[in-house]
Amino acid sequence: MAGGRCPATTSLPVARSRGTPAHPASRRSQPERCARLRPNATGSGDSGEAPPPADGSGQGGSGPEAGPGPGSGPSAGGEALGGQGQGADQAPLTLGAGVLSRMRQLRALDEYRALMEEVAELESKQQGPGGGGAGAGAGRSRGGSSSGSGTGTGASSSTRGSGAAPRASYSSSSCSELLLRGALLIARHRHPELDEGAVRGVLDDMARQAAALLPAEAERRYPLRVVAAINRVMYVDYGFRGNQEDYYSADNSCINKVVERRVGIPITLSLVYMEVGRRLGLTLRGVNLPGHFMIQPLRPPAAAAAGGGRQGSASGGGASSGEVAASGAGPAGSGVEAGIAGAGAEDGEDEDEEGPLEVLIDAFKGGEVCYPAEAEERLSELLGAPVRIDPQALKESRPLPPRTFLLRMLSNLRSIYLSTQQVDSLLTVVKFMRATLEATPPPPPALSAGAAGGLPARSPPAVAAADAGSLAALARDEGLCYFALKRYPEAVEALREYLAVDPALVSPEEAQTVAAVLEEARRRMRVNRPERGD
């Protein structure tokens, strides 16, 4: 095939002209002279050209030092299999870095789904037999107001009657740890190779330093005394702060980057604060306010404070209360602390109850402690409209449901990726959100055994109306992302799911638009489908 050889023949001297001015014929007849003219040549024969470009283009030569062709190495494009075109005895078959990264992202999503099943089961147990299952916990995530912080109020009385141990386990240890696990898995959508141990290590170190500022005796570790110690370590020693300059960076919602860079947004800084507090025996619960996220300290049960319990588990050396006060704890709200510092030990009527202090902590503002009225003023100024916090919500001792917390974190990422048109990342976050809402606890054994008696209505559990509407919207978003990425079969499946929901949950105009996109996806599938031969 002369036509195929001509380019190769004409390109040969051009390629060599870069490395030496000698004519090809003279090089073949005088190899020793060529070597003297080009003392930096590293190869033999025809491989003595200058190093290839960094992007891997222009690699050539037939000598033993010549590199593999484009796309054959593990780093070529990050998505190809390495070692292609080489013998099995020369290089093992390896996956490219991009493929491995994608696999880690998919594994994170699978692990997150399993975690959400665990969370759903925990929420179901917390609500008791009369609870609303998965929908009751997750459906309130869309409230966006102070009512979100007081979820489950109707179930709280039955929880108190069932004994303090189950509720304490949910509020102090399980909930906070589940939040951290969920946040780490969410961060892996953007940083699949994050070091979870490094994140936990920093939190452990912060807790140890804060413990050194506190009295060794657990009963003297009043909630706001612990808050002052955390503020000193977190904001003074470690330099955490709210990211005012780049508030809408996606890394502000990735807990590993928040810990690494020491900057974040209210919800991620609150999670760091809550995790340090948990290690010190202080329970802090999230308060889901509109436009801002804050946390609220809870009094420890008298039994735990008197006998060590959780409070004594992280003592790590003691310091007098005077040392904590003199340590410059930053804007911890000294006036508030003066009035309430001893509330955990001196409030006789609530001594046996793990109740909240009616103050809020702003992790974005250096751990500022404020009264609800101050928080209302701050939020009203931020949103440009009056904000009122339900006082009853701040008296609720149950923590913010983990799925509500994680959904708010994911919603922030969704807004960022939507505004910046990062469709691939947006699709991943939408899948995380669907996994958060779709998780349902396994039916109790009694219900499974009595299925013949008319009890199988819990399998699958009924989804609350708010959850059904949110899931429909997420199916729509997922389908539109697939369409933008030209993944038409998946787009058709997701958009059909959206159009199959109860018409009362979607607007007619929106359904009409989605139906048009669905029809276009089907048309493109027909156009792209290869024709079959006879």
Side-chain angles (χ1 to χ4, degrees):
M1 297 175 59
R5 293 177 183 174
C6 183
T9 304
T10 57
S11 65
L12 194 58
V14 174
R16 283 177 178 145
S17 65
R18 292 183 299 167
T20 173
H23 191 276
S26 65
R27 287 184 57 197
R28 286 194 293 270
S29 61
Q30 298 178 347
E32 295 84 359
R33 182 182 175 189
C34 267
R36 287 196 300 271
L37 289 173
R38 295 181 286 120
N40 294 329
T42 57
S44 61
D46 296 336
S47 63
E49 297 185 17
D55 61 0
S57 61
Q59 292 178 340
S62 57
E65 298 294 327
S72 60
S75 61
E79 298 292 343
L81 291 176
Q84 293 180 357
Q86 302 180 11
D89 56 339
Q90 296 181 13
L93 188 65
T94 57
L95 290 173
V99 175
L100 292 175
S101 177
R102 182 59 179 161
M103 290 174 63
R104 292 189 186 99
Q105 290 175 325
L106 294 174
R107 191 179 304 119
L109 182 56
D110 289 339
E111 292 177 14
Y112 185 82
R113 288 192 178 102
L115 177 64
M116 290 302 99
E117 297 292 341
E118 183 180 341
V119 169
E121 185 174 4
L122 184 61
E123 289 178 353
S124 179
K125 290 179 179 178
Q126 178 68 10
Q127 290 167 354
R140 299 179 177 91
S141 64
R142 303 173 68 246
S145 65
S146 61
S147 60
S149 64
T151 56
T153 305
S156 60
S157 59
S158 62
T159 304
R160 291 191 180 97
S162 62
R167 189 194 59 181
S169 173
Y170 176 78
S171 62
S172 64
S173 178
S174 300
C175 181
S176 183
E177 174 61 20
L178 288 171
L179 292 179
L180 180 60
R181 287 168 56 192
L184 286 166
L185 290 171
I186 290 171
R188 279 169 59 185
H189 89 278
R190 186 173 176 86
H191 305 283
E193 298 181 4
L194 69 84
D195 187 351
E196 181 176 328
V199 175
R200 294 182 182 275
V202 172
L203 298 174
D204 291 341
D205 291 341
M206 292 172 64
R208 277 191 289 269
Q209 292 187 34
L213 301 175
L214 293 167
E217 301 84 4
E219 61 272 11
R220 295 179 59 200
R221 292 189 175 191
Y222 308 136
L224 289 182
R225 181 174 286 172
V226 178
V227 166
I230 295 175
N231 284 353
R232 164 60 190 263
V233 171
M234 182 168 172
Y235 299 105
V236 178
D237 298 344
Y238 276 76
F240 278 84
R241 62 181 178 84
N243 194 347
Q244 302 270 14
E245 300 79 17
D246 195 10
Y247 189 89
Y248 294 102
S249 167
D251 279 342
N252 289 333
S253 295
C254 297
I255 191 66
N256 61 311
K257 300 304 288 186
V258 172
V259 170
E260 175 188 325
R261 302 184 305 158
R262 310 290 198 261
V263 294
I265 53 177
I267 192 167
T268 45
L269 290 173
S270 294
L271 180 56
V272 172
Y273 204 111
M274 292 165 69
E275 276 296 296
V276 176
R278 180 175 70 87
R279 286 161 170 76
L280 294 169
L282 175 65
T283 302
L284 296 136
R285 72 186 189 104
V287 183
N288 203 20
L289 298 170
H292 203 64
F293 194 91
M294 303 181 81
I295 46 181
Q296 183 180 25
L298 305 183
R299 297 182 184 88
R310 300 191 316 267
Q311 297 266 346
S313 62
S315 59
S320 68
S321 58
E323 290 173 326
V324 177
S327 64
S334 56
V336 177
E337 186 174 354
I340 311 180
E346 296 173 1
D347 241 353
E349 60 178 356
D350 289 334
E351 210 170 57
D352 295 330
E353 197 68 33
E354 185 181 3
L357 298 178
E358 293 186 32
V359 295
L360 297 171
I361 300 171
D362 191 343
F364 190 76
K365 295 286 187 182
E368 238 178 60
V369 179
C370 61
Y371 287 111
E374 296 175 275
E376 289 175 345
E377 291 178 6
R378 188 174 303 172
L379 292 175
S380 298
E381 182 179 351
L382 177 68
L383 300 176
V387 173
R388 292 291 174 263
I389 300 175
D390 182 6
Q392 199 60 37
L394 297 181
K395 296 178 181 179
E396 173 60 52
S397 59
R398 294 184 63 211
L400 188 70
R403 289 194 282 175
T404 302
F405 184 101
L406 296 172
L407 277 171
R408 180 155 184 166
M409 183 179 291
L410 288 164
S411 296
N412 291 335
L413 284 167
R414 176 180 176 273
S415 299
I416 291 169
Y417 292 141
L418 188 61
S419 63
T420 55
Q421 294 296 296
Q422 299 180 58
V423 182
D424 201 19
S425 296
L426 175 61
L427 175 61
T428 303
V429 168
V430 167
K431 289 181 177 180
F432 270 93
M433 295 181 75
R434 291 195 68 173
T436 307
L437 283 173
E438 288 173 345
T440 54
L447 290 182
S448 298
L455 292 176
R458 293 277 306 276
S459 180
V463 178
D467 288 354
S470 298
L471 285 170
L474 291 173
R476 174 204 63 205
D477 292 351
E478 185 174 339
L480 294 176
C481 286
Y482 280 133
F483 184 86
L485 295 170
K486 301 182 180 180
R487 296 166 61 175
Y488 301 123
E490 294 155 300
V492 167
E493 182 179 355
L495 296 177
R496 286 180 60 188
E497 180 182 348
Y498 169 78
L499 293 173
V501 301
D502 184 353
L505 299 175
V506 299
S507 68
E509 296 80 7
E510 189 174 273
Q512 185 176 1
T513 302
V514 170
V517 176
L518 173 60
E519 200 54 43
E520 176 63 17
R522 286 172 171 161
R523 187 191 69 80
R524 296 188 184 186
M525 285 175 61
R526 290 192 297 269
V527 170
N528 296 334
R529 184 181 297 122
E531 295 183 2
R532 296 184 179 179
D534 294 334

